[in-house]
Amino acid sequence: MTNLDWRAATRHRLFWPVAVLVALLLINVPFTPGFFAIHVRAGHLYGSLVNILIFSAPIVLVALGMTLVIATGGIDLSVGAVLAIAGAASCLYISKETDQNSLSGVLIAVAIGLGAGLVCGAWNGWLVAGRGVQPIVATLILMVAGRGVAQLITSGQIITINSNTPFGVIGGYWLGFPFSVLLIAVMVTLAVVLTRRTALGLLIESVGGNAEASRLVGIRARRIKLMAYIFCGLCAALAGLINSSNLSAADSNNAGLWIELDAILAVVIGGTSLLGGRFYLGGTVIGALIIETLQNTIFTIGVPTQTNLVFKAVMVIFVFLLQSPAFRAKVFRRRARPSAPAVADAAPPATLTTSEVGR
Amino acid sequence: MAEPQPVLEMTGISKQFPGVRALSGVDFRLLPGEIHALLGENGAGKSTLVKVLTGVYELDEGRISLNGAPVRFSSPLQSQQSGISTVYQEVNLCPNLTVAENILLGREPTRRGAIRWRELRRRAAELAARIGLELDVSAPLGAYPLAIQQLVAIVRAVGIDAKVLILDEPTSSLDRDEVERLFGVMRRLKAEGVAILFVSHFLDQIYEVCDRMTILRNGQLVGEYPVTELDQVALVQKMIGRELGELEALTGHIRPAVGDPLVETRGLGRKGAIEPFDLSIHRGEVVGLAGLLGSGRTESARLLFGADGADSGEVRIEERKVSLDSPVAAIAHGIAFCSENRKTEGLVPDLTVRENIILALQAARGWTRPIPAAQRDELVAKYITALDVRPANPEAKVGTLSGGNQQKVLLARWLITQPKLLILDEPTRGIDVGAKAEIQKLVVSLSEEGMSLLFISAELEEVLRLSHTIGVLRDRRLVAQIANGPDVTADRILETIASGAGT
């Protein structure tokens, strides 16, 4: 019976992503003493796991928005640029403030940053849903142009701001708790409630699964798509604020560089198809955590810097192989083979069929 | 018994899927130079048997022998290499490549790695000519109508040395002339000794072209019969395993049109699709549309549903002028539309049966007002039972259901919204006799309850049996509207289609 439960568990969608994440975390243990330890130091939560969570915040957020966009059958390449624009706009406002500690000033800066994200998302959504431009082309425009806009905002400089302002809280600590982790929790909950407690999730999956059928069933696909892109822009902007708050600066050239690819990777690891349709927010979060943990692991086990990317690539391929039923069947069959004939002899023909199905 | 040795023999074939025994102990054989029909309701195991034979599925038990030698296929390629070729319902070719490239794709004549284009075209034309198909092989495949593409698929499949040809519902999107042409090709191949396995839902066609038939029911063999020894009624009874009183009971059911006009069109038309037409549909009335493929049946339905925009005319619903410029608008006025293309325009295959059923209702409510779970489950269960969707599992992915059950899911999707006018475009195409009778019965009872229906079908008998009024289309024009009555026969409708004269 427990054997059966175990089998059912391995078939769960999230089993392999979670297994990979756990394995990655375990790899860290021999290299980092007290890896799993979490303690309070100077009133703040500290520990390797806490760090991973904090650093994963931007990619979790961006991947979250990306999941919904991909589910509608689209893609958003501009998230990195939007992240940079939001960071630049907020930092510019704060840097011009005479008192950078003023809470109202910081709130306005945050609103400006998020507003920029909403506008960018609406622009993408308008191109895709309103004008019918292919998503990859439509968002490529902002991916390229957006970085230019960000540089324009910062006049090509890196804008620095004071680190001990209320703005610093976004990427730092709030009441001893890492604020960005709180933000992740809020945004994930928001996304889940927005899609699963309303009918939005079903309609998104329908539009992504069969656009023409969705039109003929009376779904206002344009509106749905527009909402997905706007949400994605908002998530990217939030990630930009966290990023700038962490650095106490806005670096238009490097903020969120290539994050769109990591985000897409996280979505795919999480089990959402790039073709659109069914989407899995939980899977995306796990996928993003895997990517961040991998990054962290590369540093802690001391992989030489120049081999970083190759190592990451190999690990990603490994993760995908593990998730492929065909690959698993091949590997695990080889291990299971010696005992198989005995089972087949003893059991009625029905068992034989089930063992054959595994091919 | 001077029967020749079978070219293909399958014995004791069994195939198990999780939770379903799709085939158990089925025997099947094909003699050289015969056309053999494989018959059964949806879900009887026809496609599974074909897929076992073509190597898509591996069999669990049983043996296959080809020309007396045992074979075992674990991939479609192996099956093809042994001389078993298949043409599927949907043409699986590349419309952007030329006919010649399509025919010889993967076996192009080459010299030192380069394709010999002239030779390629010559050989392709030769192969096409062999089945009596003369066409410009250097034109892109997409330039030809579907029927010709189907024939090209056969040319490709037969190639040089196919011994067994499987035709899986090749006629479902062809019109009468095109079917005749296909039959000519089949007879020609038969004369050359090719064994043809023909899967079709059109019983008339089977009697026209086949020599023998094998009937399956619930994954088991019912029997193998020469076509001359089993009449249609007996055949249908063997397929569904019960008496066929239900279909009979519907015949002769003709009532006068009832109620006030619900929908009226005045000069509604769209260039290149359908000439302006006037049509009125009353409450509780079934209006049938008859006409050949491409005569404008589907096009007129799409205008009424706002799926395509009209460029002339107006629509009145309950005597008020309305604008039907999108499906959303039409749905808001109580119009529902089941497209003839279930897969591309109806189902969302990744979603479950439940999700597919509630989709239209949910779309109408908007995303902010989800249907409460309890109410949703109750509605879905009610319609699954009422329409007898099998399997009766709301969690099943709709893509895994058989054609007839997918059609029922689509019907449920619209019935749940309680439309005033339900447009059914070929609702019974490609589904089995049992499901067909159920859908016809449903049309009658819906109309008795006061719903108006626009019923489109290529089968005249069906249109005649169900409609109060029959609209006849020809060359994209509505040429006649005939009140159904005892004196209206299929011949008369055909005459109208042929002559284009109204009554």
Side-chain angles (χ1 to χ4, degrees), chain A residues 291-303:
Chain A
I291 292 173
E292 190 51 47
T293 310
L294 181 58
Q295 214 97 278
N296 188 74
T297 311
I298 288 173
F299 288 122
T300 52
I301 68 176
V303 176

Side-chain angles (χ1 to χ4, degrees), chain B residues 215-260:
Chain B
I215 303 172
L216 300 180
R217 188 172 69 228
N218 295 333
Q220 287 176 331
L221 178 70
V222 176
E224 183 200 281
Y225 309 89
V227 166
T228 45
E229 284 174 23
L230 197 68
D231 66 20
Q232 286 212 21
V233 176
L235 164 64
V236 170
Q237 280 172 6
K238 285 197 190 302
M239 274 166 66
I240 65 177
R242 58 188 145 100
E243 298 291 316
L244 199 61
E246 298 157 22
L247 264 182
E248 299 304 319
L250 286 177
T251 36
H253 144 90
I254 294 160
R255 288 159 301 116
V258 285
D260 317 318

Side-chain angles (χ1 to χ4, degrees), chain B residues 7-53:
Chain B
V7 54
L8 171 84
E9 201 158 12
M10 301 172 84
T11 23
I13 305 293
S14 293
K15 177 74 195 171
Q16 179 100 22
F17 291 114
V20 198
R21 198 164 176 80
L23 288 175
S24 53
V26 171
D27 298 341
F28 178 77
R29 61 203 187 116
L30 261 182
L31 307 181
E34 74 160 343
I35 302 179
H36 193 124
L38 184 59
L39 292 159
E41 286 195 280
N42 284 323
K46 284 177 314 216
S47 3
T48 311
L49 190 70
V50 168
K51 283 180 175 158
V52 164
L53 184 54

Side-chain angles (χ1 to χ4, degrees), chain A residues 194 197-200 202-203 205-206 209-210 212-220 227 276 278 349 353 356 359, chain B residues 58 60 302 305 307 327-328 331 343-348 350-352 355 358-360 362-363 367 370 413-414:
Chain A
L194 209 60
R197 304 295 296 206
T198 73
L200 190 60
L202 173 66
L203 298 187
E205 286 174 340
S206 175
N210 188 342
E212 181 58 12
S214 301
R215 185 178 82 92
L216 291 180
V217 87
I219 295 173
R220 297 169 198 266
M227 283 169 67
R278 282 269 187 239
T353 29
E356 288 267 305
R359 287 201 118 188
Chain B
E58 255 184 286
D60 295 339
R302 287 178 66 92
F305 186 64
V328 175
I331 291 164
K343 289 221 172 74
T344 54
E345 295 178 357
L347 299 163
V348 186
D350 268 354
L351 298 187
T352 63
E355 289 167 323
I358 64 161
L359 209 49
Q362 187 59 66
W367 66 273
R413 171 192 288 177
W414 288 115

